[in-house]
Amino acid sequence: MTQPIARRFPTPSLDKLPDDIRTRIQAVQEKSGFVPNVFLTLAYRPDEFRAFFAYHDALMDKDGGLTKAEREMIVVATSSANQCHYCVIAHGAILRIRAKNPQIADQIAVNYRKADITPRQRAMLDFAMKVSAEANRISEEDFTAVASHGFSDDDIWDIAAISAFFALSNRIANVTAMRPNDEFYMMGRLPK
């Protein structure tokens, strides 16, 4: 049975989208073999689609002190706290692939404090979770604690920015009732 991509807003048809958005979606489809529902859902508002993915790419695809797997850990942990079904499932799949670990995403989504991660990664997620849930309470002690694990100021900015960006993403996914693609559930679970 085919489920709707998102329940609360119409999903535009690919052939009616602006050329740049259609080209981006087709490139994602070619690379992954399917179109993640977030692309079609957000295409409802083309200007916001462009801004969203520009910021997403700036945060998630760059080199720096955080690995791409660690960036996904932040997304999975904070999205779980925000009860975002779409982001936990979709970014859990990406995390499994980037970490080459079929269990890590489930562990982090359920309780990152008990996950098989390093003390450095736990400190990173502690900071990310505080940014996500109560950024108004971030103190100098929080900066000192995360920096004591070798995170630079730029790394700490990235942790905070990823947490904040995905708070927005989680809320849009929840408001639109965005459904995770079935393909995400098995990605990265079995060796290729």
Side-chain angles (χ1 to χ4, degrees), residues 83-96:
Q83 299 181 41
C84 181
H85 185 209
Y86 184 89
C87 290
V88 169
I89 300 303
H91 288 275
I94 298 167
L95 173 55
R96 288 190 298 273

Side-chain angles (χ1 to χ4, degrees), residues 74 77-81 112-113 124-135 159 163:
I74 295 166
T78 59
S79 295
S80 177
Y112 76 91
R113 290 176 191 91
M124 171 189 76
L125 294 179
D126 285 341
F127 189 81
M129 294 294 278
K130 190 161 186 182
V131 168
S132 182
E134 48 186 358
I159 295 166
S163 299

Side-chain angles (χ1 to χ4, degrees), residues 67 70 73 116-126 151:
T67 67
E70 287 171 334
M73 287 179 187
D116 295 327
I117 58 176
T118 67
R120 179 180 184 273
Q121 291 165 338
R122 189 165 290 109
M124 171 189 76
L125 294 179
D126 285 341
F151 290 103

Side-chain angles (χ1 to χ4, degrees), residues 2-161:
T2 302
Q3 298 289 323
I5 290 170
R7 288 189 210 126
R8 295 196 181 104
F9 294 90
T11 302
S13 109
L14 201 54
D15 62 337
K16 297 213 183 331
L17 292 173
D19 290 342
D20 63 317
I21 293 174
R22 184 174 49 258
T23 299
R24 171 136 191 190
I25 291 172
Q26 289 169 332
V28 169
Q29 182 177 27
E30 187 175 310
K31 182 178 179 183
S32 65
F34 66 99
V35 178
N37 289 342
V38 66
F39 287 90
L40 294 173
T41 301
L42 295 181
Y44 175 68
R45 307 282 295 259
D47 289 341
E48 293 168 34
F49 175 102
R50 292 179 188 103
F52 179 93
F53 284 108
Y55 196 34
H56 171 277
D57 296 351
L59 291 172
M60 301 303 287
D61 294 340
K62 71 184 207 175
D63 293 324
L66 303 178
T67 67
K68 288 185 179 182
E70 287 171 334
R71 292 169 192 278
E72 295 296 338
M73 287 179 187
I74 295 166
V75 178
V76 172
T78 59
S79 295
S80 177
N82 290 327
Q83 299 181 41
C84 181
H85 185 209
Y86 184 89
C87 290
V88 169
I89 300 303
H91 288 275
I94 298 167
L95 173 55
R96 288 190 298 273
I97 291 166
R98 292 203 166 148
K100 296 178 177 56
N101 180 337
Q103 299 170 348
I104 194 66
D106 295 335
Q107 291 176 356
I108 288 175
V110 171
N111 185 348
Y112 76 91
R113 290 176 191 91
K114 297 185 189 299
D116 295 327
I117 58 176
T118 67
R120 179 180 184 273
Q121 291 165 338
R122 189 165 290 109
M124 171 189 76
L125 294 179
D126 285 341
F127 189 81
M129 294 294 278
K130 190 161 186 182
V131 168
S132 182
E134 48 186 358
N136 61 310
R137 297 190 63 213
I138 293 287
S139 67
E140 201 54 44
E141 290 79 25
D142 297 307
F143 283 98
T144 300
V146 73
S148 74
H149 288 272
F151 290 103
S152 70
D153 284 347
D154 282 341
D155 298 335
I156 296 168
W157 180 285
D158 286 343
I159 295 166

